[in-house]
Amino acid sequence: MISVEQALEKVLSYFHELDAEDVRLLHALGRVLAEDVYSDIDIPPMDNAAMDGYALQAQSTVGASRSSPRVLRVTGQAAAGHATTRQVVAGAAIRIMTGAPVPKGADSVVRFEDTDEDTRKSRGQPLTEIGIVCQAEPGLNIRRAGEDIARGSLVLKKGTALRPQEIGVLASLGRKAAAVVRRPVVAILATGDELVELGKPLPSGKIYSSNTYSLAAQVVRYGGIPKILGIARDNVRSLETKIGQAADADLLITSAGVSVGDYDIVKDVLARQGEISFWTVRMKPGKPLAFGLLRVGNRTIPHLGLPGNPVSSMITFEQFARPAILKMLGRKNLDKPCVRARSESEIKNTDGRRIFARVRVSRQNGQYQARLVGPQGSGVLMSMAQANGLMIVPEAVSSVRAGDEVVVQMLDWDEEM
Ligand code: AMP
Ligand code: MG
């Protein structure tokens, strides 16, 4: 038996960051930047007003106060989006709106609140003159060209995971596209004579292939592109044909056929087509896992063989396939978010494996509490549906009692918890 860490290290050693592709800006969300991005413009592009007010020369306001305003001639208006040709001279001001370019000659903007504009308006006086009631310093309420981003500067580094704010930064540079790491294509193949495709009637003794869809959904959630290969039957021909369809994938995930019962067919096929190891991993659920390289056509593809039980396949996906996908996507942090919580349930660990127990985490008085959700059988997919986390019971811990502090790997990390 090998540990979860040993298995993960071995799996990850087969994966590397994929090549880059250019995508339209919005498609870059959640992706990893594959280029250093420099700005070829200043942002803001010109000095502009940070407040609505009056653009003027600070020297025209020397000595101004509420009791002794400096009265200036108003020689024009400047609105955002429009360049003013008018110049500001000593003793004059231009009425200016936030974001409007600062007119030539002006070195500061005095906001409306520091003028007598309201008083003049309430008296019905025209705004041909304005009283300034405070003394301005040069630069007051002016956003300088290049203050946010200077032309020629490195704005976003290669390797940055793009969130909405980085998408906004790229848009502010006028970029319609970005070079990002390509998304891996992950082929998904279910195996088993008992499996039925969705949309078909369900004969007795058969089940729908739920793994196909839970695994494909996990691939999507973590940024890959699923390629559903359907169902291979428990015979050599069927398996070989289906595996042949994975030729363009970056990873092939199969479910079932790796436990002792049906080891042999899958093992034969895999042995013929590549170098696959069959591991027993010290974890529960999980345990049987196949991993290695398969020759498909003229390509060699990493293959991860997950156990067939619906809970086991999802949990082994989280532990091994998710980090592999994230690594291919160029992500640096491959760990799942964990929280420390107080267990409200009791769990026995009888055979020294690492247990991933399905729990519901909630927050009470600022502390996380984790409670087991119903039956924990590795075939009980509803336990995954009810859970938002996996409580980790370490190999060396023989029991968790109510009140013990535990680590929970979060399946979801949303605000509703
Ligand atoms: P196996 O690994 O083939 O022994 O399968 C273990 C259990 O998982 C059996 O009960 C299978 O019926 C079930 N199983 C295998 N593949 C799937 C699948 N694609 N969807 C749902 N259950 C499955
Ligand atoms: Mg089977």
Side-chain angles (χ1 to χ4, degrees):
M1 275 215 266
I2 62 174
S3 69
V4 175
E5 283 76 18
Q6 286 168 323
L8 179 60
E9 193 187 322
K10 184 94 176 132
V11 168
L12 286 178
S13 72
Y14 284 76
F15 294 92
H16 53 85
E17 183 180 314
L18 299 177
D19 41 338
E21 63 177 353
D22 281 321
V23 298
R24 277 182 300 143
L25 196 53
L26 206 46
H27 291 147
L29 181 64
R31 309 279 292 274
V32 170
L33 199 58
E35 56 172 340
D36 284 334
V37 172
Y38 291 87
S39 177
D40 49 19
I41 54 173
D42 276 329
I43 297 175
M46 69 281 156
D47 292 358
N48 68 91
M51 300 283 250
D52 293 335
Y54 285 84
L56 44 76
Q57 296 182 355
Q59 57 162 32
S60 308
T61 65
V62 173
S65 68
R66 295 237 163 238
S67 55
S68 141
R70 289 281 166 279
V71 177
L72 307 181
R73 275 177 299 119
V74 177
T75 56
Q77 296 259 5
H82 301 277
T84 12
T85 47
R86 226 177 268 279
Q87 270 202 277
V88 172
V89 295
I94 284 181
R95 195 166 183 271
I96 193 166
M97 301 300 136
T98 303
V102 175
K104 279 214 181 64
D107 61 10
S108 50
V109 171
V110 170
R111 52 185 193 145
F112 286 156
E113 293 85 335
D114 293 326
T115 69
D116 62 2
E117 189 180 287
D118 275 352
T119 322
R120 285 171 187 269
K121 277 182 172 164
S122 64
R123 290 189 193 138
Q125 290 173 322
L127 289 176
T128 48
E129 287 189 328
I130 190 72
I132 307 295
V133 303
C134 78
Q135 197 169 306
E137 293 294 326
L140 179 72
N141 294 326
I142 291 180
R143 296 190 289 221
R144 293 292 175 199
E147 182 179 284
D148 187 2
I149 297 172
R151 178 203 299 253
S153 63
L154 176 60
V155 180
L156 294 173
K157 277 206 188 116
K158 183 175 188 286
T160 305
L162 300 174
R163 303 167 298 166
Q165 45 270 59
E166 281 84 23
I167 298 295
V169 167
L170 289 167
S172 73
L173 304 178
R175 299 272 304 236
K176 287 168 77 176
V180 294
V181 178
R182 179 170 73 76
R183 297 168 65 192
V185 173
V186 181
I188 292 167
L189 179 60
T191 68
D193 284 346
E194 76 278 34
L195 302 178
V196 174
E197 306 266 15
L198 304 190
K200 299 253 168 70
L202 195 64
S204 74
K206 308 274 186 181
I207 57 171
Y208 287 118
S209 176
S210 61
N211 289 355
T212 301
Y213 293 90
S214 51
L215 293 172
Q218 285 177 300
V219 169
V220 173
R221 170 180 254 198
Y222 298 123
I225 302 170
K227 177 174 179 172
I228 293 178
L229 300 183
I231 298 165
R233 298 306 166 193
D234 288 323
N235 65 70
V236 175
R237 267 261 317 276
S238 176
L239 260 168
E240 281 182 347
T241 311
K242 286 291 188 184
I243 288 173
Q245 294 167 9
D248 60 352
D250 298 293
L251 165 64
L252 167 66
I253 294 179
T254 56
S255 87
V258 289
S259 56
V260 181
D262 27 24
Y263 219 52
D264 286 330
I265 296 167
V266 176
K267 199 178 181 183
D268 282 352
V269 173
L270 298 179
R272 215 174 307 163
Q273 300 212 359
E275 289 162 32
I276 303 290
S277 311
F278 291 83
W279 299 333
T280 42
V281 183
R282 206 174 291 126
M283 64 186 286
K284 184 181 174 177
K287 200 164 171 184
L289 195 73
F291 183 73
L293 294 176
L294 277 185
R295 276 185 307 280
V296 183
N298 53 9
R299 289 195 59 219
T300 305
I301 297 171
H303 166 240
L304 186 56
L306 306 180
N309 272 309
V311 175
S312 311
S313 71
M314 288 198 77
I315 290 180
T316 47
F317 183 106
E318 290 289 344
Q319 308 312 314
F320 305 111
R322 174 186 179 275
I325 289 171
L326 295 183
K327 189 172 178 187
M328 285 191 274
L329 283 166
R331 292 259 175 189
K332 286 178 197 86
N333 179 10
L334 309 182
D335 300 333
K336 260 195 103 66
C338 288
V339 297
R340 287 184 179 283
R342 220 155 270 298
S343 177
E344 293 182 337
S345 310
E346 204 162 290
I347 305 175
K348 292 246 177 306
N349 190 0
T350 48
D351 59 359
R353 288 192 275 159
R354 186 176 307 177
I355 297 177
F356 293 87
R358 273 75 70 210
V359 293
R360 188 88 213 159
V361 175
S362 59
R363 195 154 59 176
Q364 288 155 28
N365 307 321
Q367 229 201 13
Y368 293 115
Q369 311 278 342
R371 179 189 288 275
L372 279 184
V373 295
Q376 295 279 313
S378 58
V380 186
L381 192 51
M382 281 306 290
S383 69
M384 285 296 282
Q386 285 157 3
N388 61 358
L390 300 172
M391 183 198 290
I392 297 174
V393 184
E395 295 84 327
V397 171
S398 59
S399 71
V400 169
R401 280 156 309 184
D404 285 356
E405 194 188 69
V406 291
V407 171
V408 180
Q409 220 180 57
M410 296 309 297
L411 290 169
D412 312 317
W413 192 242
D414 58 35
E415 289 83 357
E416 285 153 40
M417 205 172 62

